[in-house]
Amino acid sequence: MSTQTSSFDRTESPLIFDLGAPGRANRYVEQGPPLESFLPKNVLRDDLPLPDNSELDVVRHFTKLSQRTFGIDLGFYPLGSCTMKYNPRVNDAMATKREFAQLHPYTPDELAQGALQVMYELERSLASLFGMAAFSLNPSAGAHAELAALLIAKKYFKDRGESKRDKVIVPDTAHGTNPASAAMCGFKVISLPSDERGRVSVEEIKKVLGPDTAVCMMTNPNTLGLFEDHIHEIAKAVHDAGGLMYYDGANANAIMGNVRPGDMGFDLMHLNTHKTFTIPHGGGGAGHGPLGVAAHLVDYLPTPVVRAEPCHPVRSEAESKDRPHAPSDRLQFSLDFDRPKSIGPMRSFWSNFAHAVRALAYIYANGADGLKKVSQLAVLNANYVRVKVADFLETPYPEICRHEFVASAQDLKKETGVKALDLAKALLDHGMMAPTMYFPLIVPECLMIEPTETESKETLDQFIAVLRDIVEEAKRNPDAIMAAPVTTVVGRVDETRAARQPDLKWTPA
Ligand SMILES: Cc1ncc(COP(=O)(O)O)c(C=O)c1O
């Protein structure tokens, strides 16, 4: 089977600055008044050699660049923990509607009722889907919401005269942002080893609980794709010790509409709407990490919080009878900044508002039953791939998983020298993105595979066949796999140098 992508020309492509010629730009754009007429002289630069390109040069240049990279619109993207599912275009169409996209963040509440209603309805939808009393849409990413949650925990314990609670428990399968957020917030991190089933054991956690416990941060299903089936006992033990339970909701794609963190006993949680609710990662800027809390922590949520109050006069009885399901046109929405116990804003303005629009569009397009099915299909797809991959790669936790699973290339490496990294690179030659590698840290030569619910059986079968071929080729000709990728624009890079000495600046000749 061949899924080889067409071979790219590896020759250097010119920079936009190398294209064009003087006078080519702006054929259709009328010259406006000179910059000097509206900008002060001291902010003007006349030394910028801006490129002078025709529209065609620009379109071709950026279209070519877009083809030199890889994205979900081009092929399968099984990047575990990142939920790289397909983003329905209708969500973008909603977010880019003029009424939303051009709304100025300083617009007074009275003139922004539609946008505030979007935020209110998203907040209410998330609260009911995940069993929390309230959500703040303010944080801009999962990690940002983790930090907000820990700031809340700190303030909550201070108010209760329990500032001595300075320990945050984090299982060894946790995403790196969990201990990083705890440390940033001034907590001491206690790393908890997973048991042989890849879960947190009730006995182990009881050993580290005490009067200094502040928060236990858990991901459920965890990053091995396994459901923490003792979650009620764990939550009870943490609560009995006086601590709070934090739910890292990056894996919410596995549970939406099926179980709720609030019912599992969590006090705080975040969602990565840029995963679970199909928003593109990054989304052209920051992400979006709504933070949910149980009733006893609502007052601490970041500001602003969207409020809805009945308008006066409220609906007459006759009106209500005629239009029992009429939209909330009798509610008045406002942003509440006046919350004395709040930890304050986590960022400027309301939130990453365009993502709130996308998330609500996705929720309404699917409905409650649809969201439940999304998670069930994500779990079905992951288990389908897991069982087939187990034929040719070790799967260290061979039991029903949730939305993702881990495989290990440890045995293959011993036999052939080919590592998880090499398998991942070889997949790129077949037009497929590599799975997440070497995470979670407790699995040697780990490949974490998350197919998502948006992929068809044919695509999953193709991925399984390609991975099987690569593993077989590794046994016959390991050097070929260790040389991959050979068809991509860039081959293997010195990743340490790329991270430590990035060369991102253009300097005019
Ligand atoms: C399990 C888990 N927790 C937290 C995060 C952090 O989320 P964000 O990248 O939005 O900051 C991630 C991101 O991949 C994750 O996978």
Side-chain angles (χ1 to χ4, degrees), residues 71-74 85-96 278 280 358 361-362:
I72 185 69
D73 294 343
L74 282 173
K85 59 192 195 183
Y86 171 69
N87 309 299
R89 294 295 186 266
V90 66
N91 303 339
D92 278 333
M94 292 300 114
T96 48
T278 82
R358 290 184 178 98
Y362 180 73

Side-chain angles (χ1 to χ4, degrees), residues 81-82 141-143 146 175 177-178 219 223 248 250 270 272 274-275:
S81 211
C82 291
E146 289 169 23
H175 193 260
T177 50
N178 290 191
T219 313
T223 59
D248 176 335
H270 84 255
N272 302 63
H274 52 277
K275 299 181 182 186

